[in-house]
Amino acid sequence: MPEGARRPLRADARRNREKILTAAVRVFTTEGLDAHMERVAKEAGVGSATLYRNFPTREALVEAVYRNEVAQLCDAVPTLLAAEPPLEALRAWTRLFLDYVTAKYGMIDALRAIAATGSNPYGHSREMIRAAIAALMDACTAAGAIRTDIRPADVSAALEGIALTSAGAEHRQQAERLLDLTLDGLTVGSRR
């Protein structure tokens, strides 16, 4: 096997990795930087050795959780568009965005610490999120549901603003009201 090439994970190893990532989101969301690796292992129902075999450092776990959350957020777009009218899919996706921000909020100090070492945990996340927004907006535009003078970068900036002012579970209701206000402003017939 060439150096740097990785073999695909066995099914049980893949399940353990997914359980760890899911548990880490819950633990980091509720405990933030105070979360211990052992707590994540216990929540995932795996041993510490399994956790450290998958994620040798706390930073590796935080970065993997963040990248996984971004991927899940963006991968939800086709499913939402297949299940709902485009505007409702966009509305549902913005709620998933809030879930993503809440999880990220619990990890923000750890993500900043990783970035301070020269690593870039954010990678292509902004571009991935903008592409997801663009796909949703394109579907909404094709359905005649939203204005055509608003760009994905505008919606992304609005979502980031809502996230900055309303991050954290305690602000969820306010964030949802702000999302509704933003989405209402996108609809055809809203004031320009």
Side-chain angles (χ1 to χ4, degrees):
M1 179 178 303
E3 189 174 324
R6 298 181 74 186
R7 284 187 291 189
L9 293 175
R10 294 184 333 254
D12 62 329
R14 191 172 43 255
R15 278 190 304 274
N16 282 340
R17 183 178 171 81
E18 290 169 11
K19 287 182 351 185
I20 292 167
L21 291 171
T22 300
V25 169
R26 285 191 306 268
V27 172
F28 289 139
T29 299
T30 58
E31 299 178 20
L33 264 184
D34 295 331
H36 294 283
M37 295 287 278
E38 292 75 24
R39 174 82 173 102
V40 173
K42 183 178 180 183
E43 181 82 16
V46 301
S48 292
T50 299
L51 172 66
Y52 285 106
R53 188 171 36 256
N54 281 277
F55 306 101
T57 65
R58 176 187 181 78
E59 291 75 19
L61 177 59
V62 169
E63 189 166 347
V65 167
Y66 176 72
R67 290 180 190 274
N68 190 57
E69 288 295 295
V70 171
Q72 286 182 353
L73 175 67
C74 295
D75 291 348
V77 170
T79 303
L80 290 170
L81 286 172
E84 303 188 40
L87 188 57
E88 291 310 308
L90 176 60
R91 191 173 301 278
W93 187 86
T94 62
R95 274 38 184 194
L96 293 176
F97 181 83
L98 285 182
D99 295 339
Y100 153 78
V101 168
T102 301
K104 182 179 160 189
Y105 186 71
M107 299 183 297
I108 197 69
D109 290 333
L111 288 166
R112 285 183 185 142
I114 293 168
T117 67
S119 180
N120 184 4
Y122 306 109
H124 300 289
S125 60
R126 178 168 278 159
E127 292 84 13
M128 290 172 64
I129 290 171
R130 283 198 181 156
I133 294 168
L136 288 159
M137 289 181 68
D138 287 348
C140 288
T141 300
I146 64 170
R147 297 165 37 183
T148 59
D149 60 326
I150 307 294
R151 304 284 171 249
D154 300 328
V155 174
S156 180
L159 291 175
E160 288 172 16
I162 292 168
L164 283 172
T165 60
S166 303
E170 68 276 11
H171 300 291
R172 179 66 182 229
Q173 289 180 339
Q174 179 186 32
E176 288 193 16
R177 287 191 306 272
L178 292 170
L179 285 175
D180 287 339
L181 180 65
T182 300
L183 293 174
D184 288 348
L186 284 175
T187 59
V188 170
S190 62
R191 294 185 78 171
R192 293 176 196 205

